[in-house]
Amino acid sequence: MPFDDRLHCRCYKRRTILGLTLAPLLAGSARAAEEGEAAKPPAPDDRFVFLTGPRKGQVVRAEDLALGGPQVQAFPMAPDGTVRNDTRLNLVILARFDPAVLTDETRARAADGVVAYSAICTHQGCPVNMWSKEQNAFVCSCHASTFDPRNAAEVIGGPAPRPLAALGLKLKDGVVTVASTFSGHVGVTQN
């Protein structure tokens, strides 16, 4: 069969167009894989970075947390530097207390008095972003569910049906670091 230059030309053009069409999709797949890392839940050896304020994006050290509260909001950051902020379910609240005031269960997960809990209320999924100085407790800004950070984030007021999920912690050179995954379901339980 003789070589048909017109056929070769059309075929080459189709491959070029197909390649140009697929290239962005393949690049998008690579980005999606990277973005997937940012949506994964906190994992052992993740550190935390401040969500807001003058230290936004900086690593949280135990000394950055005021003894006795209030809490700070943070996102976990993987050892490779990926901040796990693609899902609000990864938002965490950190607070520091005298270890002597923590229950045994809470002390077992804490690192030198630093505790970590999901910042997503178990009632309707709002952020637990307020502090009650009177109760030394976390408060949900939507419906005022109140959680005791010294006692496994037990519900002490409001409509929340269960405590906040806790993270096990450790300190690495003073940096607050994840030691174990969440103790339970994060956020609202689906029926």
Side-chain angles (χ1 to χ4, degrees):
M1 182 174 216
F3 180 74
D4 184 345
D5 198 31
R6 292 172 298 170
L7 183 61
H8 171 72
C9 188
R10 275 183 285 181
C11 195
Y12 176 75
K13 285 180 184 174
R14 269 187 253 164
R15 276 184 282 172
T16 301
I17 290 169
L18 184 60
L20 291 174
T21 303
L22 287 178
L25 295 174
L26 295 174
S29 295
R31 278 194 303 275
E34 290 172 14
E35 290 168 358
E37 288 299 311
K40 288 183 179 175
D45 294 323
D46 282 0
R47 298 168 291 160
F48 295 94
V49 293
F50 286 96
L51 174 68
T52 60
R55 309 222 30 228
K56 180 180 180 177
Q58 293 180 19
V59 172
V60 178
R61 301 179 63 77
E63 64 199 33
D64 297 328
L65 304 170
L67 187 62
Q71 77 268 31
V72 300
Q73 293 180 313
F75 274 115
M77 181 175 70
D80 70 0
T82 301
V83 177
R84 299 187 194 279
N85 61 359
D86 272 3
T87 173
R88 66 186 197 86
L89 297 178
N90 285 345
L91 186 59
V92 171
I93 45 181
L94 302 168
R96 184 169 64 108
F97 301 93
D98 178 342
V101 303
L102 302 177
T103 63
D104 291 342
E105 178 185 359
T106 304
R107 193 176 314 108
R109 287 192 192 106
D112 198 26
V114 178
V115 296
Y117 297 100
S118 167
I120 307 302
C121 185
T122 59
H123 176 233
Q124 289 191 349
C126 293
V128 179
N129 58 2
M130 296 174 19
W131 176 253
S132 169
K133 190 172 184 174
E134 298 77 32
Q135 295 178 296
N136 289 323
F138 305 141
V139 181
C140 174
S141 59
C142 290
H143 303 104
S145 289
T146 308
F147 304 89
D148 184 352
R150 296 160 298 162
N151 182 19
E154 285 293 327
V155 179
I156 56 176
R162 60 185 170 76
L164 301 171
L167 281 171
L169 297 178
K170 59 187 174 184
L171 295 181
K172 280 189 171 178
D173 298 321
V175 174
V176 181
T177 307
V178 177
S180 64
T181 58
F182 279 117
S183 62
H185 181 79
V186 172
V188 180
T189 303
Q190 300 296 326
N191 293 330

